[in-house]
Amino acid sequence: KLVNSLRTRTRLLSLLPPKLRNLIVLAPDATRAAAAGAVPERTAAAGTPRLRAGFITGCVQQVFFSHVNEATVRVLAAEGCDVVAPRSQGCCGALALHSGRDGEARTFARALIETFEKTDVDVIVINAAGCGSSMKTYGELFRDDPAWAARAQAFAAKVRDVTEVLASLGAPRAPRNRLDMRIAYHDACHLAHAQGVRQQPRDLLAAIPGVTLVPIAESEICCGSAGIFNLVQPEMAATLGARKAANIADAKPDIVATTNPGCMLQISASARAAGVNQPVVHVVEVLDASIRGHALGQA
């Protein structure tokens, strides 16, 4: 409530230091996240298990988008995955890597690797593109560390974005209910450029009855989030965000779907700055709504 109040008091907001002002502009509405809780450590697959999936709950996701984590676990389980989400897991080190603090990132990575080495999972699933991008490079991060190089590479080889995992399972097991809506898919840079994952999210959305995918002009151009770029370079990030918001507005979607919390925050903030109330959701939220036959945003 305080954040929303400050956003409307533009004169007061303009008096704040730029970085603090930018944090207020970017801050999400945490109402849904507060209502959600930590996901269970173990969630059984619906029917015969097809895959044993370790789940990274993340830092930003867990605090601000825990409802996305809940949706991720529900969708994975509905599609036949036993889901293991160790309560002891910590940060993956992505934000430290984005900041050039490699030593700190290695400390986080070692702890995470040790945690998941105990789980005996087939894949390690992440629903935040920035985190997935960093974890897939653990082998490079530890290339000069004989004690950890092989362990880091083995971990990295199992890391998959949730859209990769769901697309790899083949024909959906859980029936999809109809969602009559126009959806614009935004390519998160850390998914499309860093990981080369572009088609899988689109295929998953297009397979939902009633969904029409609408293209966004300059779809491969960054929205301005880019790890911590929108925090350290707020002016340039705002310019990119305004460009992205304008292209989205031209596409006239009902919602925007993407795969990274930073993009969700940045696009939402840019839309507000343009005077538009543009819903921005994670791809798994759309899948979850279709599988459960609920409206998007419904608990």
Side-chain angles (χ1 to χ4, degrees):
K1 291 181 179 179
L2 176 60
V3 169
N4 290 337
S5 175
L6 284 171
R7 282 180 184 149
T8 61
R9 302 174 70 178
T10 54
R11 185 175 178 182
L12 175 60
L13 199 60
S14 68
L15 298 175
L16 297 175
K19 287 189 177 180
L20 177 57
R21 181 170 65 243
N22 193 48
L23 286 173
I24 292 170
V25 169
L26 287 170
D29 180 353
T31 304
R32 287 189 66 195
V39 298
E41 285 199 276
R42 296 181 183 276
T43 303
T48 304
R50 304 160 88 178
L51 199 67
R52 183 173 168 85
F55 178 49
I56 303 288
T57 52
C59 300
V60 175
Q61 287 291 65
Q62 194 165 209
V63 174
F64 293 126
F65 297 103
S66 53
H67 58 282
V68 174
N69 280 353
E70 290 187 332
T72 300
V73 171
R74 283 194 296 263
V75 172
L76 287 170
E79 287 302 332
C81 299
D82 281 332
V83 183
V84 181
R87 197 64 53 82
S88 60
Q89 67 178 285
C91 178
C92 70
L95 291 179
L97 270 179
H98 296 332
S99 305
R101 303 196 302 271
D102 289 9
E104 183 180 331
R106 289 188 190 98
T107 299
F108 284 127
R110 288 187 191 99
L112 193 65
I113 291 167
E114 285 186 324
T115 296
F116 278 88
E117 282 177 338
K118 302 170 186 174
T119 61
D120 189 29
V121 294
D122 302 311
V123 295
I124 296 170
V125 184
I126 182 69
N127 59 14
C131 298
S133 165
S134 295
M135 290 189 296
K136 285 183 177 181
T137 64
Y138 275 2
E140 178 70 13
L141 185 64
F142 287 97
R143 68 186 183 281
D144 298 323
D145 186 338
W148 281 89
R151 295 171 73 179
Q153 187 58 51
F155 177 97
K158 289 186 176 183
V159 175
R160 299 286 186 278
D161 185 77
V162 63
T163 62
E164 288 184 278
V165 173
L166 292 170
S168 72
L169 291 173
R173 173 178 292 183
R176 269 47 169 174
N177 293 286
R178 189 176 183 87
L179 293 177
D180 289 303
M181 57 175 54
R182 290 166 53 85
I183 299 179
Y185 174 70
H186 163 70
D187 282 291
C189 291
H190 279 107
L191 192 63
H193 302 311
Q195 300 181 55
V197 178
R198 296 178 173 84
Q199 194 57 43
Q200 294 94 321
R202 290 177 167 86
D203 289 345
L204 291 169
L205 292 170
I208 298 172
V211 164
T212 300
L213 279 182
V214 293
I216 306 173
E218 301 180 325
S219 64
E220 300 227 338
I221 298 295
C222 181
C223 68
S225 174
I228 61 169
F229 185 77
N230 55 358
L231 299 180
V232 298
Q233 296 290 341
E235 293 83 6
M236 191 178 298
T239 299
L240 285 168
R243 181 171 171 176
K244 180 65 66 174
N247 285 331
I248 289 171
D250 288 343
K252 297 180 174 58
D254 297 312
I255 63 168
V256 176
T258 188
T259 54
N260 193 53
C263 298
M264 294 170 72
L265 295 176
Q266 178 73 5
I267 294 171
S268 295
S270 299
R272 283 195 301 269
V276 178
N277 179 24
Q278 177 63 71
V280 183
V281 300
H282 196 287
V283 168
V284 293
E285 291 186 85
V286 186
L287 295 170
D288 183 50
S290 175
I291 290 170
R292 299 169 75 202
H294 287 192
L296 266 170
Q298 185 176 341

